[in-house]
């Protein structure tokens, strides 16, 4: 039923079926603002219920994303994806699965049995962003989340994201955010 609580497994199954969402900037800003609020609440380390509060807020955020997905697909069930949209969907699923250890265009192209050049062309034409942008945004998003909401060291995060050395991770992070990981962590 609609009132049934969605389990983590259920959420993951729904997310696996999502190709991508075309959102208005207002919806994106709202989601980012809510995410920032969750991080702020979680960082109140003296609060005895901070983890329970964070989990509850994250569940709310998941429901909001699922609602946006549902709204974006109403009346579109019968539409078939074009071959290019199917490729984009495959790429995004692979990116969710492998972004912590693979940042090579060649890797993703080989998984979809396409040449890197053709995959790059399709992704850019279909999404308006290059493969490198997709990869960088995903890696940086995860890095930011780990920096703000975990006690992992920069070295541990570097290892988690499969960088050869912490200094390479720091250079990559600064290139994409204009801040070092430490500067980002202490920034309000």
């Amino acid at each position: 039923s609609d009132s049934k609580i969605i389990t983590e497994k259920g959420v993951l199954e729904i997310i696996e079926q999502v190709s991508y969402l075309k959102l208005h900037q207002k919806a994106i800003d709202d989601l980012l603002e809510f995410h920032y609020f969750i991080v702020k609440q979680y960082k109140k380390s003296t609060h005895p219920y901070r983890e329970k509060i964070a989990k509850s807020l994250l569940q709310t955020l998941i429901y909001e994303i699922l609602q946006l997905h549902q709204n974006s697909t109403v009346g579109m069930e019968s539409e078939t994806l074009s071959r290019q949209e199917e490729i984009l969907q495959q790429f995004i699923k692979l990116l969710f699965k492998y972004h912590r250890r693979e940042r090579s265009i060649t890797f993703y192209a080989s998984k979809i049995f396409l040449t890197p050049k053709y995959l790059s062309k399709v992704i850019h034409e279909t999404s308006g962003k290059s493969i490198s942008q997709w990869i960088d945004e995903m890696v940086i998003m995860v890095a930011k989340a780990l920096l703000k909401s975990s006690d992992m060291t920069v070295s541990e995060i570097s290892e988690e994201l499969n960088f050869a050395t912490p200094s390479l991770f720091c250079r990559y992070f600064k290139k994409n955010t204009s801040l070092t990981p430490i500067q980002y962590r202490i920034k309000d």
Side-chain angles (χ1 to χ4, degrees):
S1 72
D2 290 342
S3 60
K4 182 181 173 187
I5 297 296
I6 296 176
T7 63
E8 284 186 22
K9 185 171 181 277
V11 169
L12 290 175
E13 285 171 355
I14 292 168
I15 289 170
E16 279 179 359
Q17 296 166 18
V18 175
S19 54
Y20 57 95
L21 288 175
K22 292 183 179 176
L23 300 177
H24 295 293
Q25 190 61 46
K26 175 73 168 69
I28 294 168
D29 291 343
D30 288 347
L31 288 174
L32 289 173
E33 189 178 328
F34 190 61
H35 175 264
Y36 177 70
F37 175 72
I38 294 171
V39 171
K40 252 176 55 173
Q41 295 305 306
Y42 185 78
K43 285 177 77 176
K44 292 180 178 176
S45 56
T46 56
H47 198 296
Y49 303 109
R50 75 182 183 120
E51 287 196 12
K52 287 183 179 180
I53 290 169
K55 282 178 183 177
S56 176
L57 290 170
L58 280 170
Q59 182 76 5
T60 304
L61 181 60
I62 288 168
Y63 279 119
E64 183 61 29
I65 292 168
L66 293 177
Q67 180 63 42
L68 286 168
H69 175 252
Q70 185 178 340
N71 290 346
S72 74
T73 56
V74 169
M76 295 177 64
E77 292 83 355
S78 60
E79 286 187 15
T80 55
L81 294 176
S82 70
R83 176 62 182 140
Q84 288 195 332
E85 288 169 334
E86 284 177 6
I87 291 170
L88 177 61
Q89 180 173 350
Q90 283 180 281
F91 167 68
I92 292 172
K93 282 184 179 179
L94 287 169
L95 187 58
F96 269 96
K97 186 174 183 180
Y98 294 107
H99 67 273
R100 288 183 183 234
R101 64 183 180 91
E102 293 291 347
R103 291 183 295 280
S104 156
I105 294 171
T106 304
F107 169 82
Y108 292 101
S110 69
K111 283 284 185 185
I112 307 175
F113 305 105
L114 298 172
T115 66
K117 184 176 178 181
Y118 182 69
L119 179 62
S120 297
K121 178 176 181 283
V122 169
I123 298 304
H124 192 269
E125 285 179 358
T126 311
S127 71
K129 290 195 292 192
S130 69
I131 291 185
S132 295
Q133 283 177 293
W134 275 102
I135 294 169
D136 289 346
E137 285 176 14
M138 177 66 77
V139 173
I140 291 298
M141 179 182 72
V142 173
K144 284 179 172 181
L146 292 172
L147 285 164
K148 287 287 191 181
S149 59
S150 82
D151 295 325
M152 292 173 74
T153 65
V154 170
S155 181
E156 288 169 338
I157 293 171
S158 168
E159 192 174 330
E160 174 74 14
L161 296 175
N162 201 30
F163 284 85
T165 65
S167 62
L168 281 174
F169 167 65
C170 290
R171 282 202 294 274
Y172 178 88
F173 191 89
K174 186 163 187 178
K175 179 185 167 196
N176 284 281
T177 67
S178 302
L179 296 169
T180 67
I182 298 299
Q183 286 171 332
Y184 179 79
R185 173 167 265 169
I186 62 175
K187 179 176 174 264
D188 287 334

